[in-house]
Amino acid sequence: HEREHEREHEREHERALDPTPLGAACFVMLREPVERTISYYYERVYPSEWAGKLKFNELLEGDIEFLMTNWLGSAHSRWKDEGLGDTACRMLAGVNYHKGIFPNQTDVLTEAAATEAAEAIRDRGKMRRRLGQCVVGMTSRWPETVRVLNYWYPWLTFEDNWRGNTGMGSRAETPATLLPGHRAIIERHNGCDLDLYAAGMAQFEDQLLVVAAAKSGLGLGHVPGAV
């Protein structure tokens, strides 16, 4: 009985080391929302006739507003995503009206659908709790993300550890060089994602503590994303 008690204690200790429920059944990769929007523009919008080869800072504020509310990426004749506003929160909320669907199967986002999507992500605490059930990675910190992935998903292998920016590269604007008015519009349409990114970064740091503790044998247990 004493040995069985010790084994149960060991199992509880192992569960305490796992900072996500159900053995980390999901993984979410986050990117800073303003940086993500700039990258999206150069990958999906800039090559189009609509953009006219204008750099992001050369667009009018009305153009930015149009992009944030109306633009949907497409590939192989299907819609590729849900646009540029609060896309991470939409993903966590399961709000998907276009992705993977042929244009002739859906009209542009209707007012009713837009209202439903806004309602689905209104509860920021709920979005953070959903994120807290997943392992989080950060595009800006890929080497550390690999360590996180190796800890929770040790069976994964990476054929391409790093892929260079295929857009404008160093010639593209950054959040720091973006026109203030342009940045303000992006942030207004990504309030939930900005909140989620801050929570995700804190959770990511907690995950790194768990990985470091496991490596050193200290056995530190912590629950990222607890709100």
Side-chain angles (χ1 to χ4, degrees):
H1 292 292
E2 183 177 346
R3 181 54 184 161
E4 181 60 30
H5 178 75
E6 291 177 357
R7 288 176 179 173
E8 179 60 28
H9 179 74
E10 290 172 359
R11 286 193 289 269
E12 289 179 358
H13 178 68
E14 290 171 358
R15 286 195 293 271
L17 279 177
D18 186 349
T20 55
L22 304 178
C26 57
F27 173 75
V28 176
M29 194 78 166
L30 292 178
R31 188 172 189 179
E32 198 283 321
V34 176
E35 181 184 82
R36 182 188 68 208
T37 301
I38 297 170
S39 176
Y40 182 110
Y41 174 77
Y42 284 112
E43 180 187 352
R44 312 264 182 90
V45 185
Y46 183 77
S48 70
E49 292 184 5
W50 181 88
K53 298 300 181 182
L54 292 175
K55 294 189 67 177
F56 202 94
N57 271 344
E58 295 173 336
L59 296 172
L60 300 175
E61 290 189 5
D63 298 331
I64 307 297
E65 190 70 43
F66 173 83
L67 286 174
M68 300 305 299
T69 55
N70 295 282
W71 189 275
L72 294 168
S74 61
H76 307 296
S77 301
R78 297 175 186 262
W79 295 123
K80 193 172 183 179
D81 51 56
E82 293 296 312
L84 288 82
D86 282 330
T87 56
C89 285
R90 287 169 181 261
M91 179 272 295
L92 281 177
V95 177
N96 180 23
Y97 300 103
H98 299 92
K99 189 173 182 179
I101 300 174
F102 288 107
N104 63 356
Q105 294 177 312
T106 179
D107 295 322
V108 294
L109 196 62
T110 64
E111 184 176 347
T115 301
E116 181 182 349
E119 187 63 33
I121 64 175
R122 190 181 306 278
D123 188 342
R124 304 285 177 82
K126 183 178 181 179
M127 294 297 99
R128 291 193 295 270
R129 287 191 294 274
R130 286 191 174 184
L131 185 68
Q133 294 175 339
C134 303
V135 172
V136 173
M138 291 288 173
T139 61
S140 61
R141 298 172 65 175
W142 175 245
E144 292 164 300
T145 295
V146 170
R147 293 207 298 271
V148 167
L149 287 169
N150 286 338
Y151 177 79
W152 273 279
Y153 309 105
W155 60 88
L156 291 179
T157 59
F158 302 96
E159 295 181 2
D160 185 6
N161 266 354
W162 185 262
R163 180 173 294 177
N165 191 319
T166 56
M168 292 288 284
S170 61
R171 294 177 294 159
E173 295 86 349
T174 67
T177 62
L178 206 60
L179 291 175
H182 288 22
R183 178 165 184 159
I185 293 172
I186 295 172
E187 291 179 343
R188 176 160 50 83
H189 286 277
N190 282 280
C192 185
D193 274 13
L194 287 166
D195 182 80
L196 193 71
Y197 185 78
M201 183 61 78
Q203 182 173 328
F204 184 71
E205 296 290 356
D206 286 344
Q207 291 171 175
L208 292 176
L209 290 177
V210 173
V211 173
K215 185 176 181 179
S216 66
L218 293 178
L220 172 66
H222 188 77
V223 182
V227 293

